[in-house]
Amino acid sequence: MPVPNDRLDPQQLRERSVRRDALAKALVEARQRAGLTQVELAAASGLSRSAIARLEAGDASISSDRLWDLAKALGTKPSALLAAAEADDDAAKTLD
C-alpha cells in the first residue's frame, strides 16, 4: 500500500509524481502497441477501466500483482514496462 501523500516531504512527492508519470507513459505506449483500448485492457487484465485511466494519467500507483496482470494482458513482461519507465530521463534521475 502506498504511503499517503501527506506523509511525504516535497522531494518525495516530486519523485512519486515523476515515477508515476513515466510508468503512465510506458503503459499508454504498450497499450497502443498492443492495439487495445482502455476498456479492452481492463477486460483482459481484470482491472477496471477507471483504474486503467488513473494509471495512465499518473494519478495512481500499482501493486506488483497488478503490474504482472497488465503486462500479461499487454503481451509483455513487467520488467519491460519498468524498463520503459526507467528510460525516462527524469524518472531515472530519481534513482540517483
Side-chain angles (χ1 to χ4, degrees):
M1 173 177 266
V3 175
N5 285 345
D6 63 355
R7 306 247 342 250
L8 299 176
D9 66 38
Q11 178 64 27
Q12 290 170 316
L13 285 170
R14 279 190 296 280
E15 288 179 352
R16 174 179 274 180
S17 177
V18 166
R19 291 170 180 170
R20 284 181 177 181
D21 288 347
L23 186 56
K25 181 180 174 187
L27 287 171
V28 169
E29 289 173 355
R31 179 178 58 75
Q32 290 173 343
R33 274 194 311 277
L36 299 173
T37 66
Q38 286 183 346
V39 171
E40 292 166 333
L41 179 55
S45 67
L47 277 78
S48 67
R49 196 228 30 98
S50 62
I52 300 293
R54 286 191 312 274
L55 288 167
E56 289 188 356
D59 294 335
S61 62
I62 187 168
S63 72
S64 58
D65 292 332
R66 290 304 190 184
L67 184 63
W68 281 76
D69 294 339
L70 279 175
K72 182 178 178 181
L74 291 165
T76 191
K77 296 181 179 183
S79 59
L81 294 172
L82 292 172
E86 188 180 339
D88 179 280
D89 289 337
D90 291 330
K93 289 177 187 173
T94 70
L95 298 171
D96 295 336

